Amino acid sequence: MSLLDDHVVTGTGLVDEDTGRGRFRVHRCAMTAPEVLNRELAEIFNRCWLYVGHTSEVTEPGDYVRRSVGGRPVFMVRARKSGQVKVFHNTCPHRGAVVCRADTGNTKIFQCFYHAWTFDTEGRLTGMPGRDAYEGGADFAELSLREVARVEEYRGFVFACYDPEAVDLVTYLGQAREYLDLVVDAMGEPEIVAGSNQYSINANWKLLVENSIDGYHGPSTHDTYIKYIVSQGTDIRSGAGGGNAGYDLGNGHGVIEYGAPWGRPIAKWDPLFGENARPGMEQTAQDLARRFGESRGHAMTHTNRNLLIFPNLVINDIMAVTVRTLMPTAAGHVEVNAWQLAPRDEAEDVRAQRLDSFLTFLGPGGFATPDDLEALESCQQGFASGGVEWSDISRGMGRDRAKHDDEEQIRAFWRQWQAVVEGSAR
Amino acid sequence: MTTATEITDTTVREATEWLFTEAELLDAGKYREWLDLVAEDLSYVVPLRVTREREAETDIVEGLTLMDDDWDSMEMRVLRLETEYAWAEDPPSRSRHFVTNIRVAAGEAEDEVAVKSNLLLYRTRGDVATFDILSGERHDVLRRVAGGYRLAKRVVVLDQTTVMTHNLALIM
């Protein structure tokens, strides 16, 4: 076995940081080797906190949504008696069939159709045909739906973790919390807009992680998007001087912040919103500045942020607020799910423009995301050529304070990725 | 006074020919010529579908969509493809629109017809030895103008919940 084979199997030595030389690089087999994916599934997706959904998706007792979390089928339900949001493994404790078979709905019970075992929304086994056959002492509590080991919520964002020993969610989120706070506080009462865009990319999932918090590729990759919004009357100079920065938030989380060169639906008016929306948005900006202070209010209304919560949740607070999860199905394939978060009481015309802006940039037929996907697939194809073993992620290493188009936030992800994959983060 | 158009054999033939001409232009990449067939108040929507139980009234989501275009954004789509920076479709994919099961009915306005058609869209790109297929039903409104019809409205109901192709940067 070569040295590299050894690295691949153990997941060590795939990230190489040399601060003396200002060099940070990632071995490309981290993106191509199935062995590395196996380690990721075991060490990352079975141990880290993963986003499940938002409490606004299950407001009424009995509301449920079905999800794939870390590649496993689960469902989230607002339990009818306790009112709690619960996340269950989507499998019948009897013989295994999935018990939740629709994407969304409202129900009093979940019934496994195979042998008609019935569970209430708290997960309790409440009925089965021929119960007398179990009089030998079956433990009905043990045969109830199994909750995911850990489920916690932070300000409406529901996370689950398959590792019962994991740290609590607030500790896990660490400094990333204050960026979630900015998103939530700006909206007051956020809700997920019904529906999500689901698509897949023939590229390693970490390439999409990098891309989601990469301020460097914007001008080159997204030239046609910028031209489009300029043609619609947007003044892209309005984003200048926005305190552009990239931050390592610890625990693998990272964020970039930059002045918005385009309108933001909370309260940075732009011609695309129409004159009717202008007074309301300007009022909102003033209200937020009054409630949260000038600086924090301005950050909510005029600053873009692309936030990565390790390992696979991206919140893009840009011309709309996108909540995006990524999950690998192979070293060279990732499935993506993208939701929209918006204020519950948003004016109709602002909501319409928000959704339009999302589709125009981030939709699968938009003017930007297809080009991102093209870039990621192009990287994956390039890896197959060999010859170059390492990808370079050194941009901005010498600076005291990283800019948003540096790669510090991407390095933050990779440092934690290496520690978790090799098992030294535990 | 608005009375619905009577649907004659001629109307059916004209609408059918319009759809076939449109498909030919799209497959040939003649998007600018395609734009000439589109009304300036165009609405072009690709809704999302979800998996629901059979008793649910609809599986079409009210909220987010996959695409929601008007004439401006369609024109921009065409302008974008004419630049050197539309990376996702340069080199372009090869597409073939198969348009069948055409049903023509009276439209809401006197000068409009409602046309439903089934679409099978085959797509390949580069040297990849696999292909993408999109299947769906199109609900169009064609408006009669001097010298032909213009597309005023299109809703494409895809037969999938997950986008099973490289991107939707193409016209369905």
Side-chain angles (χ1 to χ4, degrees):
Chain A
M1 194 155 70
S2 75
L3 187 62
L4 181 58
D5 288 339
D6 196 35
H7 286 319
V8 168
V9 172
T10 59
T12 57
L14 298 173
V15 173
D16 173 37
E17 180 166 18
D18 185 338
T19 44
R21 291 178 58 180
R23 188 180 74 182
F24 191 104
R25 45 187 205 163
V26 174
H27 201 280
R28 291 180 175 180
C29 70
M31 260 76 72
T32 58
E35 297 87 343
V36 172
L37 177 63
N38 288 338
R39 287 202 71 84
E40 290 176 332
L41 293 176
E43 299 295 331
I44 296 180
F45 293 101
N46 279 348
R47 290 181 183 277
C48 293
W49 284 97
L50 306 173
Y51 177 70
V52 179
H54 193 268
T55 51
S56 63
E57 296 178 89
V58 288
T59 52
E60 298 301 318
D63 282 356
Y64 67 90
V65 291
R66 183 174 65 158
R67 291 285 141 87
S68 176
V69 174
R72 308 192 198 191
V74 302
F75 61 99
M76 174 169 87
V77 59
R78 174 79 64 180
R80 283 181 175 268
K81 285 205 180 71
S82 65
Q84 289 174 349
V85 173
K86 292 176 176 275
V87 180
F88 293 107
H89 288 279
N90 195 358
T91 180
C92 183
H94 176 215
R95 298 266 285 279
V98 299
V99 296
C100 178
R101 303 207 304 145
D103 291 337
T104 175
N106 181 282
T107 191
K108 290 189 173 67
I109 55 154
F110 292 97
Q111 187 176 55
C112 174
F113 75 89
Y114 190 11
H115 299 96
W117 283 30
T118 305
F119 308 89
D120 68 11
T121 52
E122 308 286 340
R124 285 184 299 245
L125 176 62
T126 54
M128 61 175 61
R131 186 184 282 240
D132 54 340
Y134 291 91
E135 278 170 358
D139 184 346
F140 277 43
E142 199 171 78
L143 293 171
S144 289
L145 288 177
R146 195 67 42 86
E147 287 185 68
V148 172
R150 301 283 297 278
V151 177
E152 289 179 29
E153 174 211 329
Y154 183 73
R155 302 202 68 182
F157 296 91
V158 179
F159 290 77
C161 180
Y162 297 113
D163 178 5
E165 307 300 321
V167 297
D168 65 277
L169 178 64
V170 165
T171 304
Y172 180 85
L173 292 174
Q175 294 176 65
R177 277 168 63 202
E178 62 184 271
Y179 293 89
L180 286 173
D181 289 344
L182 279 173
V183 174
V184 175
D185 288 338
M187 290 188 182
E189 203 182 332
E191 67 174 3
I192 290 282
V193 179
S196 75
N197 284 358
Q198 296 173 227
Y199 51 92
S200 63
I201 313 172
N202 289 316
N204 186 266
W205 68 280
K206 299 183 291 300
L207 293 174
L208 184 55
V209 167
E210 292 180 342
N211 173 265
S212 300
I213 48 171
D214 175 17
Y216 188 26
H217 76 289
S220 47
T221 305
H222 300 315
D223 177 84
T224 59
Y225 175 75
I226 299 294
K227 287 205 171 88
Y228 171 69
I229 58 174
V230 168
S231 79
Q232 299 294 302
T234 296
D235 178 6
I236 57 168
R237 289 167 307 178
S238 65
N244 303 346
Y247 298 108
D248 173 350
L249 300 175
N251 293 350
H253 315 313
V255 70
I256 54 174
E257 284 196 297
Y258 50 105
W262 44 64
R264 287 171 50 82
I266 289 296
K268 182 179 184 244
W269 185 84
D270 180 273
L272 281 168
F273 290 108
E275 281 297 332
N276 284 344
R278 194 168 189 164
M281 293 176 77
E282 287 174 355
Q283 185 63 48
T284 303
Q286 285 173 19
D287 292 347
L288 289 172
R290 199 174 312 120
R291 282 181 59 203
F292 296 100
E294 281 296 329
S295 148
R296 199 168 146 74
H298 192 268
M300 288 174 188
T301 56
H302 283 64
T303 306
N304 282 338
R305 60 193 61 80
N306 297 33
L307 172 66
L308 170 77
I309 309 260
F310 189 90
N312 69 335
L313 171 65
V314 174
I315 296 179
N316 283 338
D317 179 4
I318 43 179
M319 70 292 292
V321 177
T322 300
V323 176
R324 174 155 89 181
T325 60
L326 355 160
M327 186 64 208
T329 55
H333 193 255
V334 56
E335 290 181 348
V336 185
N337 228 322
W339 292 268
Q340 277 303 294
L341 193 72
R344 187 182 295 276
D345 58 356
E346 190 162 50
E348 206 174 314
D349 47 351
V350 178
R351 172 67 65 93
Q353 184 54 46
R354 174 193 289 278
L355 297 183
D356 191 63
S357 297
F358 162 70
L359 289 179
T360 303
F361 190 95
L362 287 147
F367 293 169
T369 287
D371 292 330
D372 284 318
L373 310 196
E374 179 77 6
L376 309 189
E377 295 188 345
S378 189
C379 292
Q380 197 75 25
Q381 289 160 21
F383 296 155
S385 180
V388 180
E389 282 187 59
W390 300 84
S391 284
D392 182 87
I393 310 188
S394 310
R395 189 174 165 82
M397 268 181 94
R399 282 198 239 274
D400 292 339
R401 187 172 172 281
K403 296 184 177 177
H404 81 294
D405 55 1
D406 287 339
E407 293 167 341
E408 179 58 18
Q409 65 287 344
I410 301 175
R411 289 190 286 277
F413 167 81
W414 278 113
R415 289 187 194 107
Q416 180 73 2
W417 179 87
Q418 179 64 89
V420 173
V421 162
E422 73 186 16
S424 65
R426 275 185 265 151
Chain B
M1 189 186 79
T2 306
T3 51
T5 319
E6 192 190 338
I7 300 303
T8 62
D9 287 353
T10 308
T11 314
V12 173
R13 182 173 51 77
E14 286 172 351
T16 305
E17 280 176 8
W18 189 95
L19 291 176
F20 289 171
T21 302
E22 182 202 25
E24 182 177 345
L25 291 176
L26 292 174
D27 291 335
K30 294 179 177 170
Y31 300 113
R32 186 142 297 270
E33 289 177 42
W34 175 81
L35 267 186
D36 292 338
L37 296 179
V38 173
E40 297 217 345
D41 59 346
L42 171 76
S43 162
Y44 177 103
V45 176
V46 184
L48 279 166
R49 300 177 77 176
V50 289
T51 304
R52 301 285 306 268
E53 64 278 20
R54 190 172 291 279
E55 67 189 28
E57 275 171 33
T58 176
D59 67 351
I60 292 180
V61 174
E62 201 154 315
L64 202 59
T65 58
L66 283 168
M67 292 180 77
D68 188 353
D69 274 55
D70 58 14
W71 202 87
D72 275 357
S73 58
M74 268 302 172
E75 185 195 28
M76 204 58 203
R77 217 170 262 291
V78 174
L79 286 170
R80 175 179 136 82
L81 290 172
E82 288 171 353
T83 70
E84 294 169 20
Y85 309 106
W87 313 112
E89 272 301 298
D90 194 1
S93 47
R94 291 166 288 268
S95 76
R96 193 65 56 196
H97 288 67
F98 294 87
V99 181
T100 68
N101 304 56
I102 297 165
R103 289 144 284 166
V104 183
E108 284 181 12
E110 193 179 357
D111 58 347
E112 291 177 351
V113 286
V115 185
K116 288 197 273 187
S117 60
N118 290 3
L119 174 70
L120 197 67
L121 180 47
Y122 173 96
R123 186 186 201 193
T124 66
R125 188 153 181 261
D127 300 324
V128 180
T130 55
F131 53 84
D132 297 341
I133 281 188
L134 293 173
S135 163
E137 185 177 63
R138 300 190 301 188
H139 298 243
D140 295 343
V141 172
L142 296 183
R143 187 178 301 140
R144 189 186 290 280
V145 295
Y149 289 91
R150 294 283 178 276
L151 180 67
K153 188 175 178 196
R154 170 165 288 166
V155 176
V156 186
V157 180
L158 291 174
D159 299 319
Q160 51 192 242
T161 58
T162 300
V163 177
M164 293 192 297
T165 183
H166 183 59
N167 57 48
L168 289 179
L170 78 180
I171 296 160
M172 285 180 276

